[in-house]
Amino acid sequence: MTFELTCHRLAQAVPLAPARRERDIFDRNPHAYRCLPLSTANAAGWELLCPAGFTATWDGGTGKDAIQVVYDDAAAPQFAKSHFAFGILTLETGWLFKTTEGFGLWVMGSPNDPKDGISPLTGLVETDWLPYPFTLNWQFTRPGSIRFEKGEPFCFISPGLIQPVAACQPLELDIGDAPDLQADLEAWTRERDGLMQRMRAGEPDALK
């Protein structure tokens, strides 16, 4: 099944870009870039970018007026707002996405890109039939202020198969039931243990 994504631009559509492999937390700890699953997850989709910088402040209350959003530019698109109350900040994308039948879109914050004081909520949207756009919602984790800069990703989208996942019943086996796979695992474990020992010893080739 081939995945196709069509992006219909609505009013005040925010910038859409291929996802980045780079992360600030990885730059501070470059060993993270050696982890293929992390780097692959970072780039497996597209990011929606803030068209303007803003500061959002939550006073801890449960009403819609408990969140205040102040934009750096008063004329900027009003794409961030308090809609659901209870400390939830809603950001609009300005896009209506359509996918191949059977595919939806995972809608979330950018993988491995934590933000202090607020956390993205994750949804799986059935974009193969829904005729309307979605938003991304962020939950404040404590009262206070958070910042989004202009050009900063606030939403990450990635394809997901809906029906095959719902219909799948995982098959549980002992590793000994798959002797070839077990042999590959044991060989990998030996090689990794040897590499780690060489790295701890400071061998230049291993550190590369």
Side-chain angles (χ1 to χ4, degrees):
M1 189 185 309
T2 301
F3 172 72
E4 294 182 356
L5 174 63
T6 304
C7 311
H8 298 275
R9 186 179 290 104
L10 307 177
Q12 296 186 340
V14 305
L16 175 67
R20 308 153 296 122
R21 175 178 174 270
E22 295 75 23
R23 294 290 185 271
D24 289 344
I25 58 171
F26 286 21
D27 292 339
R28 295 193 293 271
N29 178 13
H31 291 285
Y33 284 114
R34 297 175 179 167
C35 181
L36 184 59
L38 293 181
S39 293
T40 300
N42 291 351
W46 298 266
E47 291 175 319
L48 295 149
L49 313 179
C50 291
F54 68 89
T55 299
T57 302
W58 180 45
D59 66 12
T62 59
K64 290 185 180 181
D65 59 354
I67 295 178
Q68 300 297 320
V69 179
V70 178
Y71 293 90
D72 297 348
D73 180 357
Q78 308 293 294
F79 68 102
K81 60 191 66 177
S82 178
H83 178 71
F84 293 106
F86 295 95
I88 296 175
L89 180 68
T90 297
L91 289 92
E92 297 179 343
T93 70
W95 294 91
L96 195 163
F97 296 101
K98 298 299 292 182
T99 49
T100 311
E101 183 177 357
F103 284 93
L105 286 178
W106 284 103
V107 180
M108 64 193 91
S110 294
N112 306 308
D113 198 10
K115 198 167 187 69
D116 186 40
I118 197 167
S119 180
L121 303 179
T122 299
L124 180 54
V125 183
E126 295 173 275
T127 43
D128 57 344
W129 69 270
L130 289 176
Y132 47 79
F134 54 76
T135 60
L136 183 67
N137 299 291
W138 289 70
Q139 174 73 65
F140 275 90
T141 57
R142 62 174 182 273
S145 296
I146 58 94
R147 278 284 303 171
F148 277 92
E149 303 295 343
K150 182 177 180 178
E152 179 179 347
F154 72 86
C155 179
F156 183 96
I157 59 174
S158 186
L161 284 166
I162 298 175
Q163 294 303 325
V165 173
C168 176
Q169 178 62 45
L171 176 63
E172 299 183 16
L173 299 174
D174 292 329
I175 190 63
D177 296 329
D180 292 343
L181 181 60
Q182 183 178 26
D184 289 342
L185 172 61
E186 291 171 349
W188 173 85
T189 301
R190 289 192 299 270
E191 292 175 4
R192 179 174 175 82
D193 289 347
L195 175 62
M196 296 303 293
Q197 291 176 5
R198 292 167 57 206
M199 290 179 64
R200 285 191 290 268
E203 291 187 21
D205 288 343
L207 293 174
K208 288 181 180 179

